[in-house]
Amino acid sequence: MSTYEIKFSVNGNDEILAVRGEETLLRALRRVGYVEVKLSCEGGDCGACAVLLDGVAVNACLVFVAQADGCEITTVRGVGTEDDLHPVQEQLIEKGGVQCGFCTPGIVVSAKALLDENPEPTREDIQRGLAGNLCRCTGYKKIFEAVSAAARQMKEGGDS
Ligand code: FES
Ligand code: FES
């Protein structure tokens, strides 16, 4: 089966990959080590594989890797680091919005996309913004509280 070469950046790192036409962005990212992008339903139903593609949150399992040629991709590791957490990450820890953690990378990515677009979301905006991210553990309340608190923190601190 034929392969061809594409280029994109992931969290600021340039990547050159030989890909096949049917390979998804999710499978390709994990193949080259970005395993923080979680592989779960592979049908667009859970949001665990969410990444930012040129700043827009997408489910990487629904994107062919070829569609990402030339794009900038951000995974949860590019949103914040252990030493410099994004307010969403800080508040998820603070409010107890992480239990098993499997959904957390996708939640962080979706919440960042939401707050980038809408810095003062209502509870309904947050629920809508995270509607594509399933969490089997937390019951969502603490996640929604964390995103609200992150919005306040970003407003007060001018943090992003
Ligand atoms: S693995 Fe992509 S939405 Fe579930
Ligand atoms: S914390 Fe376990 S799935 Fe969300």
Side-chain angles (χ1 to χ4, degrees):
M1 196 167 294
S2 62
T3 62
Y4 52 98
E5 193 175 274
I6 66 164
K7 299 178 188 175
F8 50 51
S9 77
V10 185
N11 303 333
N13 302 313
D14 291 332
E15 300 282 0
I16 301 174
L17 274 73
V19 303
R20 294 194 313 270
E22 77 279 12
E23 189 172 25
T24 64
L25 179 58
L26 171 59
R27 290 273 175 176
L29 286 171
R30 291 181 60 86
R31 177 163 63 82
V32 294
Y34 296 97
V35 292
E36 69 271 26
V37 186
K38 295 302 177 198
L39 190 157
S40 183
C41 71
E42 291 197 277
D45 293 324
C46 75
C49 65
V51 297
L52 300 178
L53 188 63
D54 286 343
V56 176
V58 297
N59 287 327
C61 68
L62 296 183
V63 177
F64 289 118
V65 65
Q67 293 173 277
D69 194 13
C71 293
E72 287 184 18
I73 295 161
T74 306
T75 74
V76 67
R77 286 183 186 272
V79 174
T81 65
E82 272 183 57
D83 296 331
D84 184 20
L85 293 174
H86 187 279
V88 167
Q89 294 166 311
E90 273 185 61
Q91 293 298 336
L92 280 169
I93 295 167
E94 185 68 28
K95 304 288 184 204
V98 179
Q99 289 188 23
C100 81
F102 191 83
C103 69
T104 308
I107 298 271
V108 169
V109 165
S110 296
K112 176 178 166 41
L114 169 69
L115 296 180
D116 285 349
E117 195 179 303
N118 178 2
E120 296 185 47
T122 63
R123 175 59 71 102
E124 290 68 33
D125 293 335
I126 294 169
Q127 286 179 232
R128 221 176 0 255
L130 297 183
N133 294 85
L134 300 187
C135 175
R136 65 185 176 180
C137 306
T138 65
Y140 299 99
K141 186 169 181 280
K142 292 178 178 192
I143 292 173
F144 297 154
E145 285 172 3
V147 177
S148 281
R152 286 195 298 279
Q153 183 180 335
M154 289 165 74
K155 189 175 177 193
E156 286 159 15
D159 203 346
S160 62

